[in-house]
Amino acid sequence: MELLKQAVLKETFLSWSGQENFSFVKVNYLISRLRINAVDLPETSASFIPGTGIYLSVAQASATISADWRVHTWLLRDQGQITVSISGLFIAVIFKVSRDSTGHLSTLLHNCQLSIDSVKVKLSGRSSWIYSFLSGYLEKPIHTKLDKSLCLNIKYKIQMTHALLRKHKVLSQIDAFAQVDYFLVSSPAVFKSHINLDLKGTVYPVGNHTDPPFAPAPFALPNQGDSMIYLGVSNYFLKSASLAYYRAGAFNITISKEIARSYAAAGAVLPRLMAASPPAVSLNADRCVLQITGCVQVVAVLPNSTTQYVFAGNLTASTRANLTVSKQKLIISLLLKRFQFSLLHSSLGFPDQKSLVENFLSYALQRIVVPVINDKLGKGFPLLNLAHTSLTGPAIKINQGHLVITDVHYQLEDEEDLHSHC
């Protein structure tokens, strides 16, 4: 409702003119530059209407409006300022939420009811003797104009919101490798206590929007009321991200001397990892595991800067994924837990080479390869942006097959920020 109050204070009205008969005199008037100076919303309520949308109501509201006025008759011409005091204002609005043909959220005005108990007018200008005379006559046309225009203004604002929602990006760029698609799969499901938005949540390689060869498994969000927002992320989202990065070649990593030195590692022996398949992602209770399977080749850099093949083999590395939310993004950071390696070829030429190879791989994976992958994932996955809100205290709960991001608090943003999300 604070957002509603801010929006009302920024509201503007079109100028209007008319003619009133005062006994035997016809007075033409013009009311212009209307602006709301103060508003009080003592009784407000908001609720969901199952199957329809959202109900908002304001009762016993009051407002002070200022404007410029001008009148002219065959007897006189005058102008000045006008102050309009409105009391006993009641507005009830129902707007319907749905999905449009492009997968965007759609809002339409379903019903608007309005009543105003009292409108008082105070005039100021040069001809003070006519103020009290004109004020009473202007109250009726202003009352009538407000009755007709307020619901129309609300309808216009909802249409503007609908237009902005259509411009909202459902396809967000993650980095040079991948994009995420958040279009609505179906119309929002509105219940008495909450509203569900079913989003696609598929990650694609840039320029290749071929759907993954697996389908998302259904899951339910917790039926609780201690958080404003519950954002569910299924295992499908993470699996599609794994597939997208694999198709984009992000898990094929060749370590150069420069890369090794940037991670404070020696650059004399350099590994190369080639993923054999998309990393397997699994969500279990309080744990996210990512397993990488591929081939490792290691070369040595000779003093003359040429390279010499050392060994190659198959690798399966199990990592634990730490998940955090920062700046409206899901950040994934991998931590190596264990790995298995089978040696295929070697030029080392001594019997106890398995222990040496495994020690080197442990060092290279932890100090170079996993940090390189984390750098590629470091930009994070943009979460769905809700206009005018931002997460301030998100928490992540990992369940079997999905995770839930909750936020107990939220903060309002400036109206201009709505455009920055589009």
Side-chain angles (χ1 to χ4, degrees), residues 175-178 205 241-254 273-275 279 292 369 372-377:
D175 51 29
F177 297 99
S242 173
L243 178 61
Y245 278 91
Y246 170 75
R247 286 176 171 173
F251 293 105
N252 294 333
I253 300 170
T254 299
L273 172 65
M274 293 167 289
I292 303 173
V369 176
V372 168
I373 295 175
N374 284 338
D375 281 349
K376 293 183 178 183
L377 299 175

Side-chain angles (χ1 to χ4, degrees), residues 146-370:
L146 290 173
D147 280 338
K148 292 180 178 179
S149 64
L150 284 179
C151 277
L152 289 176
N153 275 22
I154 291 173
K155 181 179 180 180
Y156 173 70
K157 288 295 183 182
I158 293 177
Q159 288 174 340
M160 285 183 60
T161 301
H162 174 74
L164 288 173
L165 287 172
R166 285 185 63 88
K167 296 179 181 179
H168 195 92
K169 290 182 179 179
V170 294
L171 186 66
S172 297
Q173 189 79 18
I174 299 172
D175 51 29
F177 297 99
Q179 299 170 316
V180 58
D181 193 342
Y182 280 131
F183 83 80
L184 279 171
V185 175
S186 58
S187 287
V190 185
F191 302 92
K192 186 176 181 179
S193 62
H194 63 281
I195 181 170
N196 281 349
L197 301 177
D198 190 6
L199 307 170
K200 186 172 185 181
T202 302
V203 181
Y204 296 102
V206 173
N208 180 6
H209 287 187
T210 302
D211 283 333
F214 44 82
F219 68 96
L221 293 173
N223 187 20
Q224 299 174 356
D226 55 352
S227 181
M228 175 191 167
I229 298 172
Y230 290 87
L231 179 60
V233 179
S234 73
N235 199 45
Y236 169 85
F237 175 89
L238 297 175
K239 286 177 66 178
S240 70
S242 173
L243 178 61
Y245 278 91
Y246 170 75
R247 286 176 171 173
F251 293 105
N252 294 333
I253 300 170
T254 299
I255 305 298
S256 65
K257 288 192 297 182
E258 291 73 18
I259 292 176
R261 289 167 184 165
S262 69
Y263 291 95
V269 182
L270 304 175
R272 180 186 181 192
L273 172 65
M274 293 167 289
S277 60
V281 184
S282 61
L283 291 174
N284 303 304
D286 297 321
R287 186 174 62 176
C288 177
V289 176
L290 186 143
Q291 185 170 284
I292 303 173
T293 301
C295 175
V296 173
Q297 294 180 353
V298 174
V299 298
V301 181
L302 302 179
N304 62 1
S305 297
T306 61
T307 58
Q308 179 178 321
Y309 167 82
V310 180
F311 66 84
N314 293 324
L315 172 74
T316 299
S318 180
T319 66
R320 180 162 183 170
N322 294 322
L323 307 176
T324 57
V325 175
S326 177
K327 297 180 180 179
Q328 304 293 104
K329 292 183 178 182
L330 178 65
I331 308 297
I332 300 176
S333 178
L334 303 182
L335 177 65
L336 180 67
K337 302 300 292 183
R338 60 184 179 274
F339 69 91
Q340 294 178 338
F341 180 75
S342 60
L343 188 64
L344 296 178
H345 307 285
S346 173
S347 63
L348 292 175
F350 53 88
D352 189 21
Q353 50 185 296
K354 182 178 180 182
S355 176
L356 176 64
V357 167
E358 289 181 346
N359 287 337
F360 169 78
L361 282 178
S362 177
Y363 169 85
L365 290 171
Q366 294 185 68
R367 294 289 300 274
I368 307 175
V369 176
V370 171

Side-chain angles (χ1 to χ4, degrees), residues 85-155:
S85 299
I86 303 171
S87 60
L89 172 64
F90 171 79
I91 301 178
V93 177
I94 299 174
F95 60 90
K96 187 176 182 180
V97 292
S98 60
R99 173 191 180 275
D100 68 12
S101 59
T102 64
H104 289 79
L105 182 65
S106 172
T107 58
L108 295 173
L109 180 64
H110 186 69
N111 190 24
C112 180
Q113 296 179 344
L114 168 74
S115 65
I116 301 174
D117 288 345
S118 174
V119 174
K120 298 295 183 183
V121 174
K122 182 179 179 181
L123 299 176
S124 62
R126 294 190 300 269
S127 304
S128 58
W129 63 272
I130 66 169
Y131 296 163
S132 58
F133 177 74
L134 291 176
S135 295
Y137 282 95
L138 286 176
E139 286 174 0
K140 180 181 177 181
I142 291 176
H143 196 151
T144 301
K145 184 67 175 180
L146 290 173
D147 280 338
K148 292 180 178 179
S149 64
L150 284 179
C151 277
L152 289 176
N153 275 22
I154 291 173
K155 181 179 180 180

